[in-house]
Amino acid sequence: MSLVTLTELMKDAEEKRYAVGAYNVMNLDMIRGILAAAEDEKSPVILSFAEVHIPYIPLEYIAPIMLEAARNAKVPVAVHLDHGQDFEVIIRAMKYGFSSVMFDGAHLPLEENIKKTLEITKIAKALGVSVEAELGTILRPEGGGDDDYVEEEYDEDDMYTNPEHARIFMENTEIDALAVAFGTAHGVYTREPVLDFNRLQEIKTITNMPLVMHGGSGLDDKSYVKSIESGIRKLNYYSTMAYEVANEVLTKLSFNAKRNKKSYYHDISMWAIEAIRKDISRTMRIFGSAGKA
Ligand SMILES: [Zn+2]
């Protein structure tokens, strides 16, 4: 019985100054690999499902699996909806028992973002569900892999969270975590990211909130550590895991093929779980969440 809210996880992370990884899943193999890593590392963890991944698996199929796995885990697990934009999807996630939801209104004008965030928090609070909101545009769509994405259409102001906006946002909403843009991007980086730690620290001081990094794949270890020192408490990590696992499966398939050895679908499943477990364990040690459960 270890399903917890994001708020509970963030409280401990804030006190002990570490970040909890939030890992998007879309099947049981991913859930098993991530939870095996969390139990190995004695780490709290956020099992996350992104609205944008609904075409891969319907929410009503994945939700009960995530929740059952969380309840049976030996470590605290929050079950979270990532980048909820559709009101109906967010409400359904709460209905299925998610302990946390993100409302992503970052693309909206500030006032509209505040208004919509308030609508969600009002319902979430009544149900004991945590809410993450977003301010500032984190580049590229969630899920990664969109290599044709053009970044030139954004200007600097859109890319980074405005600290003054963060103050106004905090004064007018009741959220539990805030996703901020300080130079990270979703997906795999096509050029070296420029992270604005001063801005991050300023937002932390103004909001006194657990801050969330999106686009946490592909940064060097030092950037993770510095981000956590500057106030990041939830770290979304997906693309590297998804890529590494596919690569590992491909390597194993080719290895067998070269030796005229048959591969079976259940082999792929076990290779994937093991590759995920290894990669996620590594991130938990970097994020400082290892040993905190
Ligand atoms: Zn994101």
Side-chain angles (χ1 to χ4, degrees), residues 24 82-83 102 104 132 134 138 140-143 179 186 212-215 236:
N24 278 334
D82 188 33
H83 286 282
M102 175 192 188
D104 176 2
E132 172 187 342
E134 180 174 321
I138 298 154
R140 303 166 71 101
E142 187 73 56
H186 290 126
V212 183
M213 179 203 281
H214 283 242
N236 288 19

PDB file of all heavy atoms in Angstrom, residues 24 82-83 102 104 132 134 138 140-143 179 186 212-215 236, ligand 1:
ATOM      1  N   ASN A  24       7.451   8.631 -17.653  1.00  0.00           N
ATOM      2  CA  ASN A  24       6.248   8.288 -18.416  1.00  0.00           C
ATOM      3  C   ASN A  24       6.253   6.820 -18.807  1.00  0.00           C
ATOM      4  O   ASN A  24       7.282   6.283 -19.217  1.00  0.00           O
ATOM      5  CB  ASN A  24       6.132   9.158 -19.667  1.00  0.00           C
ATOM      6  CG  ASN A  24       5.533  10.513 -19.346  1.00  0.00           C
ATOM      7  OD1 ASN A  24       4.794  10.661 -18.373  1.00  0.00           O
ATOM      8  ND2 ASN A  24       5.843  11.501 -20.146  1.00  0.00           N
ATOM      9  N   ASP A  82       0.642  13.459 -16.938  1.00  0.00           N
ATOM     10  CA  ASP A  82       1.597  14.437 -17.454  1.00  0.00           C
ATOM     11  C   ASP A  82       0.963  15.252 -18.591  1.00  0.00           C
ATOM     12  O   ASP A  82       0.292  14.686 -19.458  1.00  0.00           O
ATOM     13  CB  ASP A  82       2.829  13.678 -17.960  1.00  0.00           C
ATOM     14  CG  ASP A  82       3.975  14.591 -18.348  1.00  0.00           C
ATOM     15  OD1 ASP A  82       4.116  15.658 -17.710  1.00  0.00           O
ATOM     16  OD2 ASP A  82       4.737  14.242 -19.272  1.00  0.00           O
ATOM     17  N   HIS A  83       1.180  16.554 -18.573  1.00  0.00           N
ATOM     18  CA  HIS A  83       0.686  17.450 -19.625  1.00  0.00           C
ATOM     19  C   HIS A  83      -0.792  17.269 -19.952  1.00  0.00           C
ATOM     20  O   HIS A  83      -1.156  17.135 -21.132  1.00  0.00           O
ATOM     21  CB  HIS A  83       1.514  17.315 -20.903  1.00  0.00           C
ATOM     22  CG  HIS A  83       2.852  17.957 -20.789  1.00  0.00           C
ATOM     23  ND1 HIS A  83       3.043  19.313 -20.891  1.00  0.00           N
ATOM     24  CD2 HIS A  83       4.069  17.422 -20.538  1.00  0.00           C
ATOM     25  CE1 HIS A  83       4.320  19.580 -20.717  1.00  0.00           C
ATOM     26  NE2 HIS A  83       4.962  18.460 -20.489  1.00  0.00           N
ATOM     27  N   MET A 102      -1.197  16.968 -13.860  1.00  0.00           N
ATOM     28  CA  MET A 102      -0.627  18.230 -14.324  1.00  0.00           C
ATOM     29  C   MET A 102      -1.638  18.883 -15.249  1.00  0.00           C
ATOM     30  O   MET A 102      -2.152  18.239 -16.166  1.00  0.00           O
ATOM     31  CB  MET A 102       0.663  17.986 -15.091  1.00  0.00           C
ATOM     32  CG  MET A 102       1.213  19.267 -15.702  1.00  0.00           C
ATOM     33  SD  MET A 102       2.534  18.922 -16.875  1.00  0.00           S
ATOM     34  CE  MET A 102       3.109  20.592 -17.196  1.00  0.00           C
ATOM     35  N   ASP A 104      -1.554  21.622 -18.007  1.00  0.00           N
ATOM     36  CA  ASP A 104      -0.589  22.382 -18.800  1.00  0.00           C
ATOM     37  C   ASP A 104      -1.308  23.490 -19.555  1.00  0.00           C
ATOM     38  O   ASP A 104      -1.896  23.270 -20.612  1.00  0.00           O
ATOM     39  CB  ASP A 104       0.133  21.442 -19.762  1.00  0.00           C
ATOM     40  CG  ASP A 104       1.087  22.180 -20.689  1.00  0.00           C
ATOM     41  OD1 ASP A 104       1.209  23.422 -20.554  1.00  0.00           O
ATOM     42  OD2 ASP A 104       1.703  21.528 -21.540  1.00  0.00           O
ATOM     43  N   GLU A 132       0.054  19.890 -10.561  1.00  0.00           N
ATOM     44  CA  GLU A 132       1.234  20.579 -11.100  1.00  0.00           C
ATOM     45  C   GLU A 132       0.740  21.490 -12.217  1.00  0.00           C
ATOM     46  O   GLU A 132      -0.110  21.087 -13.013  1.00  0.00           O
ATOM     47  CB  GLU A 132       2.223  19.549 -11.659  1.00  0.00           C
ATOM     48  CG  GLU A 132       3.404  20.173 -12.409  1.00  0.00           C
ATOM     49  CD  GLU A 132       4.289  19.105 -13.093  1.00  0.00           C
ATOM     50  OE1 GLU A 132       4.211  17.915 -12.727  1.00  0.00           O
ATOM     51  OE2 GLU A 132       5.031  19.483 -14.011  1.00  0.00           O
ATOM     52  N   GLU A 134       2.059  24.662 -15.232  1.00  0.00           N
ATOM     53  CA  GLU A 134       3.251  25.050 -15.993  1.00  0.00           C
ATOM     54  C   GLU A 134       3.186  26.501 -16.427  1.00  0.00           C
ATOM     55  O   GLU A 134       2.145  27.009 -16.832  1.00  0.00           O
ATOM     56  CB  GLU A 134       3.423  24.151 -17.225  1.00  0.00           C
ATOM     57  CG  GLU A 134       4.655  24.517 -18.051  1.00  0.00           C
ATOM     58  CD  GLU A 134       4.925  23.555 -19.207  1.00  0.00           C
ATOM     59  OE1 GLU A 134       4.737  22.348 -19.027  1.00  0.00           O
ATOM     60  OE2 GLU A 134       5.315  24.040 -20.272  1.00  0.00           O
ATOM     61  N   ILE A 138       8.082  25.117 -22.488  1.00  0.00           N
ATOM     62  CA  ILE A 138       9.172  24.157 -22.590  1.00  0.00           C
ATOM     63  C   ILE A 138       9.120  23.593 -24.011  1.00  0.00           C
ATOM     64  O   ILE A 138       8.095  23.073 -24.444  1.00  0.00           O
ATOM     65  CB  ILE A 138       9.024  23.054 -21.524  1.00  0.00           C
ATOM     66  CG1 ILE A 138       9.104  23.700 -20.124  1.00  0.00           C
ATOM     67  CG2 ILE A 138      10.107  21.991 -21.707  1.00  0.00           C
ATOM     68  CD1 ILE A 138       8.405  22.942 -19.052  1.00  0.00           C
ATOM     69  N   ARG A 140       9.386  21.883 -27.725  1.00  0.00           N
ATOM     70  CA  ARG A 140       9.080  20.601 -28.346  1.00  0.00           C
ATOM     71  C   ARG A 140       7.950  19.874 -27.605  1.00  0.00           C
ATOM     72  O   ARG A 140       7.827  19.980 -26.412  1.00  0.00           O
ATOM     73  CB  ARG A 140      10.310  19.678 -28.417  1.00  0.00           C
ATOM     74  CG  ARG A 140      11.481  20.276 -29.147  1.00  0.00           C
ATOM     75  CD  ARG A 140      12.733  19.474 -28.884  1.00  0.00           C
ATOM     76  NE  ARG A 140      12.670  18.191 -29.547  1.00  0.00           N
ATOM     77  CZ  ARG A 140      13.293  17.923 -30.683  1.00  0.00           C
ATOM     78  NH1 ARG A 140      14.003  18.855 -31.283  1.00  0.00           N
ATOM     79  NH2 ARG A 140      13.203  16.747 -31.231  1.00  0.00           N
ATOM     80  N   PRO A 141       7.161  19.110 -28.364  1.00  0.00           N
ATOM     81  CA  PRO A 141       6.066  18.393 -27.731  1.00  0.00           C
ATOM     82  C   PRO A 141       6.566  17.259 -26.843  1.00  0.00           C
ATOM     83  O   PRO A 141       7.622  16.692 -27.107  1.00  0.00           O
ATOM     84  CB  PRO A 141       5.269  17.835 -28.916  1.00  0.00           C
ATOM     85  CG  PRO A 141       6.188  17.883 -30.075  1.00  0.00           C
ATOM     86  CD  PRO A 141       7.242  18.895 -29.803  1.00  0.00           C
ATOM     87  N   GLU A 142       5.827  16.953 -25.775  1.00  0.00           N
ATOM     88  CA  GLU A 142       6.161  15.831 -24.889  1.00  0.00           C
ATOM     89  C   GLU A 142       6.177  14.538 -25.693  1.00  0.00           C
ATOM     90  O   GLU A 142       5.408  14.366 -26.617  1.00  0.00           O
ATOM     91  CB  GLU A 142       5.103  15.731 -23.785  1.00  0.00           C
ATOM     92  CG  GLU A 142       5.429  14.726 -22.704  1.00  0.00           C
ATOM     93  CD  GLU A 142       6.540  15.214 -21.803  1.00  0.00           C
ATOM     94  OE1 GLU A 142       6.390  16.301 -21.236  1.00  0.00           O
ATOM     95  OE2 GLU A 142       7.539  14.512 -21.686  1.00  0.00           O
ATOM     96  N   GLY A 143       7.069  13.644 -25.320  1.00  0.00           N
ATOM     97  CA  GLY A 143       7.125  12.358 -26.015  1.00  0.00           C
ATOM     98  C   GLY A 143       8.362  12.269 -26.880  1.00  0.00           C
ATOM     99  O   GLY A 143       8.878  11.196 -27.136  1.00  0.00           O
ATOM    100  N   ALA A 179       5.946  23.654 -12.958  1.00  0.00           N
ATOM    101  CA  ALA A 179       6.903  23.370 -14.026  1.00  0.00           C
ATOM    102  C   ALA A 179       7.384  24.690 -14.602  1.00  0.00           C
ATOM    103  O   ALA A 179       6.571  25.545 -14.961  1.00  0.00           O
ATOM    104  CB  ALA A 179       6.248  22.526 -15.117  1.00  0.00           C
ATOM    105  N   HIS A 186      11.872  19.288 -24.395  1.00  0.00           N
ATOM    106  CA  HIS A 186      11.419  17.896 -24.466  1.00  0.00           C
ATOM    107  C   HIS A 186      12.187  17.159 -25.566  1.00  0.00           C
ATOM    108  O   HIS A 186      12.668  17.778 -26.508  1.00  0.00           O
ATOM    109  CB  HIS A 186       9.918  17.834 -24.779  1.00  0.00           C
ATOM    110  CG  HIS A 186       9.053  18.299 -23.652  1.00  0.00           C
ATOM    111  ND1 HIS A 186       8.110  19.274 -23.809  1.00  0.00           N
ATOM    112  CD2 HIS A 186       8.990  17.912 -22.362  1.00  0.00           C
ATOM    113  CE1 HIS A 186       7.497  19.466 -22.649  1.00  0.00           C
ATOM    114  NE2 HIS A 186       8.008  18.656 -21.758  1.00  0.00           N
ATOM    115  N   VAL A 212       9.546  21.960 -11.104  1.00  0.00           N
ATOM    116  CA  VAL A 212       9.603  20.771 -11.946  1.00  0.00           C
ATOM    117  C   VAL A 212      10.405  21.046 -13.210  1.00  0.00           C
ATOM    118  O   VAL A 212      10.176  22.056 -13.874  1.00  0.00           O
ATOM    119  CB  VAL A 212       8.178  20.311 -12.347  1.00  0.00           C
ATOM    120  CG1 VAL A 212       8.241  19.019 -13.172  1.00  0.00           C
ATOM    121  CG2 VAL A 212       7.303  20.134 -11.111  1.00  0.00           C
ATOM    122  N   MET A 213      11.337  20.144 -13.508  1.00  0.00           N
ATOM    123  CA  MET A 213      12.060  20.232 -14.769  1.00  0.00           C
ATOM    124  C   MET A 213      11.425  19.261 -15.766  1.00  0.00           C
ATOM    125  O   MET A 213      11.316  18.069 -15.509  1.00  0.00           O
ATOM    126  CB  MET A 213      13.528  19.852 -14.587  1.00  0.00           C
ATOM    127  CG  MET A 213      14.311  19.907 -15.904  1.00  0.00           C
ATOM    128  SD  MET A 213      15.808  18.881 -15.897  1.00  0.00           S
ATOM    129  CE  MET A 213      16.920  19.922 -14.977  1.00  0.00           C
ATOM    130  N   HIS A 214      11.013  19.795 -16.906  1.00  0.00           N
ATOM    131  CA  HIS A 214      10.586  18.948 -18.019  1.00  0.00           C
ATOM    132  C   HIS A 214      11.743  18.871 -18.999  1.00  0.00           C
ATOM    133  O   HIS A 214      12.607  19.738 -19.011  1.00  0.00           O
ATOM    134  CB  HIS A 214       9.345  19.544 -18.697  1.00  0.00           C
ATOM    135  CG  HIS A 214       8.094  19.316 -17.923  1.00  0.00           C
ATOM    136  ND1 HIS A 214       7.034  18.595 -18.402  1.00  0.00           N
ATOM    137  CD2 HIS A 214       7.754  19.697 -16.675  1.00  0.00           C
ATOM    138  CE1 HIS A 214       6.082  18.561 -17.489  1.00  0.00           C
ATOM    139  NE2 HIS A 214       6.489  19.222 -16.426  1.00  0.00           N
ATOM    140  N   GLY A 215      11.721  17.850 -19.848  1.00  0.00           N
ATOM    141  CA  GLY A 215      12.817  17.703 -20.802  1.00  0.00           C
ATOM    142  C   GLY A 215      14.101  17.348 -20.090  1.00  0.00           C
ATOM    143  O   GLY A 215      15.165  17.874 -20.385  1.00  0.00           O
ATOM    144  N   ASN A 236      11.280  15.292 -14.808  1.00  0.00           N
ATOM    145  CA  ASN A 236      10.657  14.438 -15.829  1.00  0.00           C
ATOM    146  C   ASN A 236      11.716  13.876 -16.759  1.00  0.00           C
ATOM    147  O   ASN A 236      12.469  14.637 -17.386  1.00  0.00           O
ATOM    148  CB  ASN A 236       9.659  15.258 -16.654  1.00  0.00           C
ATOM    149  CG  ASN A 236       8.415  15.599 -15.887  1.00  0.00           C
ATOM    150  OD1 ASN A 236       8.385  15.544 -14.654  1.00  0.00           O
ATOM    151  ND2 ASN A 236       7.370  15.959 -16.591  1.00  0.00           N
TER     152      ASN A 236
HETATM  153 ZN    ZN B   1       6.870  18.023 -20.174  1.00  0.00          ZN
END
